[in-house]
Amino acid sequence: MSHGYDSDTEWLFQKICIGYARWGYAVFAADLLGHGRSDGIRCYLGAMAKVAAASLSFFVSVCRSEEYKGLPTFLFGESMGGLATMLKYFQSEADTWMGLIFSALLFVIPENMKPSKV
């Protein structure tokens, strides 16, 4: 699961994770670079393709672990995390994911909402 801009995997996002876990799913979430407890300048993403690749590496390692290998896998993205999720999907090997789940999907950041490059 990938959270939105200026968010993290803590309290609010955890409620979504807990909901899926109660339905019997194994759920994994990680703070995107520059968010939450991750490395990087707060809310600075740089190249979104690199952010997605770093996140993808984590999720693929979990899916290929002995405990979860062979189970159906889905990517979940909320807001800006939806954009990262779409990029992760396109960066993945074929048949890695059974499906994609989006919440308040953000594909493009409108010009007037783009953060300063400073």
Side-chain angles (χ1 to χ4, degrees):
M1 297 184 73
S2 297
H3 59 77
Y5 182 75
D6 195 25
S7 188
D8 54 37
T9 58
E10 292 195 12
W11 69 278
L12 183 59
F13 202 68
Q14 284 179 6
K15 290 193 172 284
I16 300 169
C17 297
I18 290 167
Y20 278 102
R22 284 186 177 148
W23 294 335
Y25 293 94
V27 181
F28 300 90
D31 289 328
L32 295 173
L33 295 174
H35 292 74
R37 295 181 184 181
S38 72
D39 291 338
I41 299 168
R42 178 82 181 138
C43 291
Y44 176 75
L45 296 167
M48 183 59 87
K50 290 182 181 178
V51 171
S55 181
L56 177 62
S57 176
F58 166 71
F59 288 112
V60 167
S61 70
V62 171
C63 294
R64 291 184 179 159
S65 70
E66 202 56 42
E67 188 173 358
Y68 301 105
K69 188 169 40 174
L71 293 177
T73 55
F74 298 85
L75 287 171
F76 176 102
E78 183 259 334
S79 188
M80 180 209 63
L83 174 59
T85 294
M86 185 61 72
L87 291 172
K88 285 184 271 193
Y89 177 78
F90 288 129
Q91 293 173 358
S92 298
E93 295 176 18
D95 300 326
T96 301
W97 311 105
M98 274 196 91
L100 304 172
I101 304 166
F102 296 109
S103 173
L105 179 60
L106 173 70
F107 275 130
V108 177
I109 300 173
E111 280 301 318
N112 65 344
M113 293 181 68
K114 285 186 179 177
S116 165
K117 293 197 185 271
V118 175

